[in-house]
């Protein structure tokens, strides 16, 4: 059981740590101190639910219906392009971390955006439901729980680490140039992920 748990933790961590739209968003909210604990908790809980669903067999179901992945690709790509545009616009604004100029969004707005970044990104489903679920589903029934718990633990550790780490670093990176870099990275990541989602779909239509 312990070995299975460690395997799930290692595989889950390896997939989650890879740079992506979700990690870029969590990092940005942490640096802005914009409800970082809530953002980390929502991302980790979503991962946990999706991992559990994948290990239970949802990954096999999704793989059997390619139309679901196509719908997710177009919807997720459109959202990531829109979010990237917002980050691009902030490149031309003056933004600091001082108390009088730092603009914080309400928790409801942050919650809805966190859910969108997480659930409208097909890569999240590929990593958690399809890949982790597919691997975990190959274990005997009595070992699947250990694998799933290991992968879930990796998600919680990672998201809370980057959210809290970024919030702790915020006072030391309060210069406007820091935010130009953060927004540039966020914009680039969102658009690159959107491209990776939409390019195959567009190629298939033009073929």
């Amino acid at each position: 059981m312990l070995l299975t748990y460690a395997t799930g933790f290692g595989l889950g961590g390896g997939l989650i740590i890879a740079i992506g739209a979700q990690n870029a968003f969590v990092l940005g909210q942490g640096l802005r101190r914009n409800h970082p604990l809530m953002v980390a908790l929502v991302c980790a809980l979503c991962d946990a639910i999706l991992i559990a669903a994948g290990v239970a067999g949802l990954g096999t179901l999704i793989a059997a219906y390619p139309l679901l992945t196509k719908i997710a690709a177009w919807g997720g790509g459109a959202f990531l392009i829109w979010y990237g545009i917002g980050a691009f616009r902030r490149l031309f604004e003056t933004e600091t971390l001082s108390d009088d100029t730092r603009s914080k969004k309400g928790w409801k707005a942050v919650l809805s955006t966190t859910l969108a970044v997480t659930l409208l990104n097909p890569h999240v489903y590929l990593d958690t439901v399809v890949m982790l679920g597919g691997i975990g589903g190959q274990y005997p029934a009595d070992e699947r729980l250990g694998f799933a718990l290991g992968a879930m633990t990796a998600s919680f550790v990672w998201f809370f680490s980057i959210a809290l780490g970024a919030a702790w670093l915020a006072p030391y990176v309060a210069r406007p140039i820091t935010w130009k870099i953060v927004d540039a990275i966020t914009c680039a990541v969102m658009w690159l992920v959107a491209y990776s989602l939409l390019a195959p779909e567009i190629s298939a239509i033009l073929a």
Side-chain angles (χ1 to χ4, degrees):
M1 186 70 165
L2 183 60
L3 178 60
T4 308
Y5 176 90
T7 302
F9 186 93
L11 290 174
L15 290 173
I16 295 165
I17 290 174
I19 188 65
Q22 193 181 36
N23 286 338
F25 175 78
V26 176
L27 177 63
Q29 298 308 301
L31 285 172
R32 289 182 171 85
R33 294 183 173 182
N34 203 10
H35 308 287
L37 291 178
M38 182 189 72
V39 171
L41 179 61
V42 171
C43 289
L45 286 176
C46 286
D47 271 7
I49 293 171
L50 293 174
I51 290 169
V55 172
L58 182 59
T60 304
L61 178 64
I62 291 178
Y65 293 93
L67 179 60
L68 294 177
T69 59
K70 289 183 178 293
I71 294 174
W74 284 104
F79 171 78
L80 293 174
I81 290 173
W82 172 81
Y83 193 87
I85 290 173
F88 181 78
R89 287 176 175 172
R90 288 195 298 271
L91 289 174
F92 305 97
E93 299 175 357
T94 300
E95 185 177 8
T96 69
L97 277 177
S98 60
D99 292 335
D100 57 338
T101 59
R102 182 175 60 213
S103 59
K104 283 189 176 182
K105 294 182 179 179
W107 70 268
K108 292 182 180 179
V110 175
L111 174 61
S112 62
T113 306
T114 305
L115 289 172
V117 169
T118 301
L119 300 179
L120 292 180
N121 182 3
H123 284 297
V124 172
Y125 297 94
L126 291 175
D127 290 345
T128 57
V129 178
V130 178
M131 296 188 68
L132 289 175
I135 295 172
Q138 296 178 11
Y139 283 89
D142 58 340
E143 296 184 16
R144 292 176 188 173
L145 177 61
F147 179 89
L149 289 176
M152 293 174 188
T153 302
S155 178
F156 273 87
V157 170
W158 172 248
F159 284 122
F160 276 94
S161 294
I162 58 175
L164 292 175
W168 178 76
L169 288 172
Y172 305 98
V173 292
R175 295 177 299 171
I177 186 60
T178 302
W179 296 106
K180 303 296 183 186
I181 296 173
V182 170
D183 288 326
I185 292 174
T186 299
C187 177
V189 169
M190 297 297 175
W191 285 353
L192 284 173
V193 175
Y195 174 80
S196 71
L197 294 175
L198 298 178
E201 302 299 328
I202 295 174
S203 298
I205 293 174
L206 297 177

